[in-house]
Amino acid sequence: MMDNKMICVDGFENVVEGGETTGFAFLGRLPYYRGLGLSMIEDIAVTVDGEAVARGDVRFTVHGNTYTLDEMETVYDDRWNFGEKATIGVVRAGGLTPGRHRIEFAVRMRVSYLPFVPTTKDVKELDLAA
């Protein structure tokens, strides 16, 4: 039900570190109403303009802490709460060109009382400022 609110329309930008553009980022929300510990996030998948991003190139930042998806598997002392905006980063030399980009964002979660692993997905076209 909250899938269409996963990708935030604000916060879409290239990431610049040390004067060099190293990737891009957008803000995302967890669509699960209770929030989850980070170790319960099974996977985060990002596709930009039809091209899937490698799992190793995705970064997740919440509460000032940045994790790779592999690191998140063992994070038991941090959470992603319902409605909370997290930064979803992608390592990509040069980032993205200014203009409109189609972003797909999927989250696979482990919820203890569900007999299946839910995956939620949102797709939006976002404009990257020059």
Side-chain angles (χ1 to χ4, degrees):
M1 184 163 89
M2 300 300 292
D3 295 8
N4 66 349
K5 301 203 179 0
M6 290 173 59
I7 298 173
C8 303
V9 295
D10 59 329
F12 183 46
E13 62 188 3
N14 276 325
V15 175
V16 179
E17 297 172 336
E20 186 176 328
T21 304
T22 58
F24 66 92
F26 62 93
L27 297 176
R29 292 186 193 97
L30 179 70
Y32 180 63
Y33 74 103
R34 299 178 91 174
L36 290 171
L38 296 187
S39 65
M40 296 174 73
I41 304 297
E42 295 266 323
D43 197 22
I44 293 175
V46 177
T47 301
V48 60
D49 298 329
E51 179 185 337
V53 173
R55 177 181 163 87
D57 290 338
V58 176
R59 301 294 181 268
F60 179 88
T61 303
V62 69
H63 309 130
N65 301 309
T66 300
Y67 307 98
T68 65
L69 299 182
D70 288 344
E71 290 170 337
M72 283 175 59
E73 293 176 2
T74 58
V75 176
Y76 306 109
D77 60 351
D78 207 351
R79 293 181 56 79
W80 189 10
N81 293 307
F82 175 73
E84 182 174 34
K85 293 178 182 179
T87 301
I88 312 303
V90 173
V91 176
R92 181 185 215 158
L96 295 173
T97 58
R100 183 157 284 220
H101 295 278
R102 180 182 168 90
I103 304 295
E104 297 178 34
F105 172 47
V107 178
R108 192 171 68 226
M109 308 168 261
R110 185 177 350 97
V111 180
S112 62
Y113 60 84
L114 294 178
F116 59 93
V117 179
T119 300
T120 57
K121 181 179 176 181
D122 189 11
V123 178
K124 286 199 174 52
E125 291 198 4
L126 301 176
D127 291 315
L128 185 67

